[in-house]
């Protein structure tokens, strides 16, 4: 607590003044947290002085990063990006935790040193666990899992030691708002399903089935809860599975889209472009890139259409193959292969 207080004073977080008339002071309190490692062991004890103006520190950090040439991400205001033709660096901020990564170790070290002159930072070294996501380095890249997060979720649902399933949802399942009794605990349903959404960060093969059960948050039925339990049984048997991100040897980007053959023809045939008057402007952007030959539109057979994983249920015979193509792999398998 003494260290945190000294850091606040060093950063000139506040000015001590006499309270002006007709003003109300901002209350504050000390908050204590235990930071855990991925295996559940205690990483460190952490304390923080929390005031009713939590945006002040973030605003100061943002201003400094912008001075250094960073830009806000358009998709996430807590992500800052600085890039040119040869190097890039990313800064992700969550409350008072900062994750820094880049293409150049010297560039990262230089930024940490620079920020340390403005803030009292504690460099924890390479990241191994961040916001419930475990980071494991492999010979080919990094493997992201949420094993502890999912174990806690199974415990919360009372399904810690259950029989497992090979797929998260029966391929013939059809859910609806009718035909079943109301769920016994709607609060638990919403809590578990909400937590499953976060799990899709490292488990994209869960996206479709989690999206389906999310559609019944208002008035869940027993049939919906049965579907949720099926997802949890699948998770129980695949706890060490996660997203394996490999080092890219080139920057070619493959994008899969759930479109039919006529859409492919429309994108590549100039004669058919006259039929696109009512299409939104972002699709015109894609069309222009096709004409500039910066994008190639090709037909993909159903057996290789990865977009299907996000738009429909996949049969059990194809599920494992599609999951592997999404680079969702068991950490134990990677260790055995030496990847």
């Amino acid at each position: 607590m003494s260290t945190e207080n000294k850091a606040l004073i060093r950063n000139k977080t506040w000015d001590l003044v006499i309270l002006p008339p007709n003003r109300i002071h901002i209350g504050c309190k000390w908050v204590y947290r235990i930071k855990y490692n991925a295996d559940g062991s205690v990483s460190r004890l952490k304390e923080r002085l929390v005031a009713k103006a939590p945006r002040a520190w973030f605003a100061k950090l943002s201003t400094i990063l912008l001075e250094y040439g960073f830009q806000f991400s358009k998709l996430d205001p807590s992500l800052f990006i600085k890039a040119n033709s040869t190097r890039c660096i990313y800064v992700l901020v969550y409350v008072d935790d900062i994750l820094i990564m880049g293409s150049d170790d010297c560039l990262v070290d230089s930024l940490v040193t620079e920020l340390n002159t403005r803030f009292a930072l504690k460099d924890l070294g390479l990241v191994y666990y961040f916001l419930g996501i475990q980071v494991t380095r492999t010979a080919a890249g990094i493997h992201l899992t949420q094993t502890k997060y999912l174990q806690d979720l199974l415990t919360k649902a009372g399904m810690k030691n259950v029989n497992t399933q090979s797929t998260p949802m029966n391929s013939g399942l059809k859910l609806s708002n009718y035909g079943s009794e109301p769920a016994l605990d709607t609060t638990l349903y919403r809590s578990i399903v909400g937590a499953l959404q976060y799990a899709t960060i490292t488990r994209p093969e869960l996206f479709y089935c989690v999206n389906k059960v999310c559609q019944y948050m208002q008035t869940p039925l027993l049939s919906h809860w049965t579907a949720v339990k099926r997802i949890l049984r699948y998770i129980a048997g695949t706890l060490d599975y996660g997203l394996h991100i490999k080092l890219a040897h080139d920057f070619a980007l493959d994008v899969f889209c759930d479109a039919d053959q006529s859409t492919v023809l429309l994108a590549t045939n100039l004669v058919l472009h006259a039929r696109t008057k009512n299409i939104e402007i972002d699709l015109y952007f894609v069309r222009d890139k096709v004409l500039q030959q910066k994008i190639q539109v090709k037909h993909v057979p159903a057996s290789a259409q990865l977009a299907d994983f996000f738009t429909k249920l996949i049969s059990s015979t194809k599920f494992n193959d599609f999951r592997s193509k999404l680079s969702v792999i068991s950490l134990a398998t990677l260790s055995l292969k030496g990847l």
Side-chain angles (χ1 to χ4, degrees):
M1 196 163 103
S2 175
T3 303
E4 174 73 6
N5 191 48
K6 289 178 181 178
L8 292 170
I9 295 173
R10 175 185 170 185
N11 293 335
K12 298 180 180 179
T13 307
W14 62 71
D15 293 320
L16 189 60
V17 299
I18 298 174
L19 183 68
N22 302 320
R23 296 294 181 92
I24 301 175
H25 70 277
I26 297 176
C28 63
K29 63 179 180 179
W30 285 98
V31 175
Y32 303 93
R33 293 172 59 197
I34 301 176
K35 303 284 270 189
Y36 293 96
N37 295 312
D39 60 2
S41 60
V42 176
S43 171
R44 67 186 192 278
L45 303 177
K46 189 172 183 179
E47 65 286 322
R48 185 169 74 248
L49 184 64
V50 179
K52 292 180 181 180
R55 296 181 180 272
W57 182 84
F58 181 79
K60 182 176 181 180
L61 176 62
S62 302
T63 300
I64 291 173
L65 288 174
L66 293 174
E67 289 176 1
Y68 292 164
F70 283 83
Q71 293 182 335
F72 284 107
S73 165
K74 294 180 180 179
L75 299 178
D76 187 346
S78 62
L79 177 63
F80 299 83
I81 304 171
K82 183 179 181 180
N84 55 35
S85 59
T86 58
R87 299 186 299 178
C88 60
I89 186 168
Y90 302 87
V91 177
L92 179 64
V93 183
Y94 178 75
V95 190
D96 58 352
D97 289 331
I98 305 175
L99 182 64
I100 303 175
M101 64 179 297
S103 59
D104 187 324
D105 289 342
C106 293
L107 190 64
V108 172
D109 293 339
S110 176
L111 177 63
V112 172
T113 302
E114 190 69 30
L115 288 176
N116 207 33
T117 63
R118 312 288 291 269
F119 301 95
L121 300 182
K122 183 178 181 181
D123 189 353
L124 300 177
L126 294 175
V127 61
Y128 292 98
Y129 195 66
F130 188 74
L131 300 182
I133 299 175
Q134 179 182 345
V135 182
T136 303
R137 282 156 186 80
T138 68
I142 58 174
H143 187 262
L144 305 180
T145 55
Q146 292 171 279
T147 303
K148 182 181 182 301
Y149 177 83
L150 294 174
Q151 286 174 331
D152 293 343
L153 185 58
L154 289 171
T155 301
K156 183 177 182 180
M159 299 184 65
K160 191 172 183 180
N161 298 302
V162 294
N163 294 328
T164 61
Q165 292 284 353
S166 59
T167 59
M169 188 170 279
N170 190 316
S171 58
L173 181 67
K174 295 186 182 298
L175 297 175
S176 71
N177 290 311
Y178 310 97
S180 177
E181 295 294 320
L184 297 177
D185 190 339
T186 57
T187 301
L188 179 64
Y189 181 94
R190 293 169 186 146
S191 177
I192 296 297
V193 172
L196 282 172
Q197 293 182 74
Y198 186 64
T200 61
I201 293 175
T202 62
R203 302 294 298 273
E205 87 276 22
L206 297 173
F207 182 85
Y208 178 80
C209 54
V210 171
N211 177 265
K212 290 298 291 183
V213 295
C214 280
Q215 296 174 20
Y216 305 98
M217 298 276 260
Q218 180 94 19
T219 53
L221 305 178
L222 281 176
S223 58
H224 305 144
W225 178 239
T226 300
V228 172
K229 290 197 293 184
R230 169 68 180 250
I231 298 172
L232 294 174
R233 290 180 188 278
Y234 166 76
I235 288 174
T238 56
L239 282 171
D240 75 328
Y241 276 65
L243 201 57
H244 190 209
I245 302 176
K246 300 178 184 179
L247 180 67
H249 298 290
D250 62 65
F251 292 99
L253 185 64
D254 295 327
V255 179
F256 293 83
C257 179
D258 187 14
D260 56 24
Q261 184 66 29
S262 63
T263 306
V264 176
L265 292 173
L266 189 63
T268 56
N269 193 327
L270 287 171
V271 176
L272 299 177
H273 286 178
R275 303 179 185 177
T276 65
K277 293 181 179 179
N278 296 322
I279 293 180
E280 294 182 5
I281 201 72
D282 56 341
L283 299 182
Y284 278 107
F285 173 82
V286 174
R287 188 197 68 178
D288 290 342
K289 295 302 178 183
V290 171
L291 294 177
Q292 297 167 15
Q293 297 185 347
K294 292 182 178 180
I295 296 178
Q296 293 183 352
V297 181
K298 298 180 179 179
H299 177 260
V300 179
S303 59
Q305 180 52 278
L306 295 185
D308 285 350
F309 226 11
F310 303 96
T311 60
K312 62 190 71 173
L313 284 172
I314 302 298
S315 66
S316 57
T317 56
K318 296 180 180 180
F319 185 84
N320 288 348
D321 180 50
F322 271 53
R323 182 178 63 190
S324 296
K325 288 178 179 177
L326 285 179
S327 203
V328 177
I329 303 172
S330 164
L331 182 58
T333 303
L334 287 178
S335 300
L336 289 173
K337 291 181 179 179
L339 297 176

